């Protein structure tokens, strides 16, 4: 890079970010860098920081002013929507400059679609969604944080709850044009703004994660309804709701009850593909002699096929689900805490 001072007109966005971080100082800059999830972007910025040389005070002031306007606009958008943001920016910077700021902000922010709803009251959202098209509601919930979607889903009427749940499970990809149109409708109806980002949403995995964060009443209502409408999807969701690694969340009495149903050789094969935490959880709930025999079996079988391990893990998970269904063990989900009565 030339030693000639850079002009803001010739700087890339990464160079502007690098200049801002230099101006903020190493302590603040390091905290900001920690929160940038894109590793490639972090590398680009770090390289620019290392390469950046002379910036005249006028350019630095212009960079600071640009970021200030973007942060200010972001706050306006979050608090009052795009119309509110444009109105305040018009007053502060003039119409032409306000449009440029909003345009840069939309290009800069990488917010998930419908992110505004993550800050809304779930009960109010459920009330607002009750008369909406179930497919539209499913699309919105598929993009929200799972715990927020779970709360909204649980507050819907049983009929709509089941319908929306099935549509989430069957969802695959959303056409970006359709997504933008839905966002436009939501922006007008709820005075919010989101940045379109073509990404995958929905699917069986998404529904399982949402249900995992729901209360048991909601969970049972959804699964029972799915079982009637589409048993295959219901089974796929059940398989995803408790994975083999979740064994570490079972209490010791439940582990011991499960072990009574599992053959030692099947258990040894399932543990070959598990992490240390799962293995230690199992070992702690076996006698010293049984643990030694199990470890010997694991060592003796040597390398095993991943497919065989997965089959045994799935088999053990099915045992856990069956025992939970009969009430013999309790499976905790998410942050849920059960009350015990003496």
């Amino acid at each position: 890079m030339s030693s000639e001072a850079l002009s803001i007109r010739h700087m890339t966005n990464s160079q502007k970010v690098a200049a801002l971080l230099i101006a903020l100082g190493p302590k603040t800059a390091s905290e900001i860098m920690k929160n940038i999830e894109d590793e490639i972007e972090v590398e680009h910025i770090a390289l620019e920081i290392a390469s950046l040389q002379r910036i005249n005070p006028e350019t630095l002031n212009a960079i600071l002013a640009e970021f200030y306007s973007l942060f200010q606009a972001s706050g306006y958008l979050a608090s009052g929507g795009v119309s509110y943001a444009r109105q305040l920016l018009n007053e502060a910077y003039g119409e032409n400059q306000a449009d440029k700021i909003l345009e840069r902000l939309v290009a800069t922010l990488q917010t998930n679609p419908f992110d505004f709803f993550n800050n809304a009251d779930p009960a109010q959202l459920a009330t607002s969604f009750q008369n909406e098209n179930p497919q539209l509601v499913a699309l919105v919930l598929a993009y929200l944080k799972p715990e927020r979607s779970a709360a909204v889903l649980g507050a819907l009427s049983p009929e709509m709850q089941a319908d929306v749940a099935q549509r989430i499970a069957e969802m695959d990809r959303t056409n970006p044009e359709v997504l933008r149109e839905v966002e436009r409708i939501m922006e007008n109806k709820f005075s919010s703004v989101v940045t379109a980002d073509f990404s995958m949403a929905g699917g069986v995995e998404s529904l399982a994660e949402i249900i995992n964060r729901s209360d048991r009443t909601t969970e049972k209502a959804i699964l029972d309804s799915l079982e009637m409408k589409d048993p295959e999807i219901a089974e796929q969701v059940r398989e995803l709701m408790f994975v083999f690694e979740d064994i570490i969340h079972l209490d010791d009495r439940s582990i011991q009850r499960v072990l009574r149903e599992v053959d030692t050789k099947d258990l040894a094969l399932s543990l070959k593909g598990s992490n240390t935490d799962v293995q230690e959880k199992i070992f702690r709930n076996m006698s010293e002699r049984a643990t030694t025999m199990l470890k010997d079996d694991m060592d003796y079988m040597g390398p095993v096929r991943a497919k065989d391990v997965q089959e045994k893990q799935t088999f053990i998970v099915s045992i856990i689900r069956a025992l939970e269904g009969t009430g013999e063990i309790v499976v905790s989900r998410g942050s849920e805490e059960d009350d015990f009565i003496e």
Side-chain angles (χ1 to χ4, degrees):
M1 184 179 296
S2 169
S3 60
E4 181 182 354
L6 278 174
S7 166
I8 191 171
R9 294 193 304 274
H10 303 122
M11 295 179 71
T12 65
N13 287 336
S14 293
Q15 287 174 330
K16 292 177 184 177
V17 172
L20 175 66
L21 294 181
I22 291 172
L24 292 174
K27 184 176 181 180
T28 302
S30 65
E31 290 300 316
I32 293 174
M33 293 284 276
K34 288 177 186 176
N35 288 281
I36 301 177
E37 296 180 356
D38 190 330
E39 293 183 3
I40 296 178
E41 184 62 25
V42 170
E43 291 176 4
H44 285 166
I45 295 171
L47 181 61
E48 292 297 347
I49 291 175
S51 304
L52 211 55
Q53 296 182 18
R54 294 180 59 229
I55 301 178
N56 60 49
E58 291 78 11
T59 299
L60 183 57
N61 286 336
I63 291 171
L64 294 175
E66 180 175 317
F67 277 104
Y68 174 76
S69 66
L70 288 175
F71 295 148
Q72 189 179 35
S74 179
Y76 293 159
L77 287 172
S79 61
V82 66
S83 299
Y84 176 71
R86 179 172 282 110
Q87 176 186 344
L88 295 184
L89 291 171
N90 283 346
E91 295 175 2
Y93 299 100
E95 186 174 342
N96 291 336
Q97 186 66 14
D99 287 340
K100 290 179 181 179
I101 292 171
L102 283 173
E103 184 178 345
R104 282 201 303 269
L105 184 61
V106 169
T108 301
L109 295 178
Q110 295 298 318
T111 325
N112 286 330
F114 315 113
D115 188 61
F116 168 82
F117 291 123
N118 283 312
N119 298 318
D121 179 70
Q124 291 181 354
L125 275 183
T127 300
S128 300
F129 288 164
Q130 193 60 51
N131 295 318
E132 296 290 343
N133 185 302
Q135 187 65 40
L136 174 64
V137 177
L139 179 62
V140 173
L141 295 190
Y143 277 104
L144 297 189
K145 296 175 182 177
E147 59 270 21
R148 181 63 54 176
S149 294
V152 175
L153 196 60
L156 294 173
S157 67
E159 297 79 12
M160 189 170 190
Q161 191 179 83
D163 196 356
V164 169
Q166 183 170 9
R167 290 171 188 269
I168 293 174
E170 293 174 344
M171 198 179 298
D172 185 15
R173 292 177 181 270
T174 304
N175 183 293
E177 294 298 326
V178 173
L179 187 57
R180 278 195 290 270
E181 178 61 18
V182 173
E183 289 174 346
R184 185 190 65 79
I185 294 170
M186 290 300 185
E187 178 183 327
N188 291 335
K189 197 162 190 176
F190 295 94
S191 300
S192 63
V193 63
V194 291
T195 302
D197 179 21
F198 183 43
S199 59
M200 291 189 67
V204 174
E205 293 86 354
S206 177
L207 179 59
E209 193 172 2
I210 291 172
I211 295 177
N212 265 334
R213 288 166 169 79
S214 300
D215 58 79
R216 291 186 187 278
T217 302
T218 301
E219 172 191 318
K220 186 177 187 305
I222 291 173
L223 289 177
D224 287 349
S225 179
L226 278 178
E227 188 70 50
M228 294 176 60
K229 292 186 175 182
D230 196 323
E232 184 177 346
I233 286 182
E235 182 60 23
Q236 290 175 14
V237 171
R238 283 195 173 94
E239 288 178 357
L240 290 170
M241 285 178 60
F242 184 96
V243 296
F244 189 77
E245 287 72 22
D246 290 336
I247 283 175
I248 62 174
H249 300 303
L250 295 178
D251 59 65
D252 290 346
R253 188 171 67 174
S254 296
I255 291 286
Q256 293 159 20
R257 178 65 185 90
V258 172
L259 291 178
R260 294 206 297 270
E261 302 293 326
V262 181
D263 180 79
T264 302
K265 293 192 179 301
D266 289 344
L267 182 60
L269 184 54
S270 71
L271 291 179
K272 288 284 285 188
S274 65
N275 58 48
T276 304
D277 291 339
V278 173
Q279 293 180 9
E280 290 300 323
K281 182 77 171 183
I282 297 296
F283 297 155
R284 285 199 304 271
N285 284 280
M286 301 176 68
S287 68
E288 184 175 346
R289 180 173 176 274
T291 299
T292 301
M293 293 177 60
L294 178 60
K295 289 181 177 179
D296 288 342
D297 283 344
M298 292 171 64
D299 292 336
Y300 179 78
M301 65 179 58
V304 295
R305 294 193 307 172
K307 179 181 178 182
D308 294 336
V309 173
Q310 292 169 0
E311 286 179 354
K312 293 305 179 186
Q313 290 182 349
T314 300
F315 171 69
I316 292 174
V317 168
S318 70
I319 291 175
I320 293 171
R321 292 208 316 269
L323 291 173
E324 183 194 23
T326 60
E328 294 185 65
I329 66 172
V330 174
V331 176
S332 298
R333 292 187 170 85
S335 59
E336 177 183 353
E337 294 183 1
D338 288 318
D339 294 324
F340 290 88
I341 301 174
E342 295 293 342

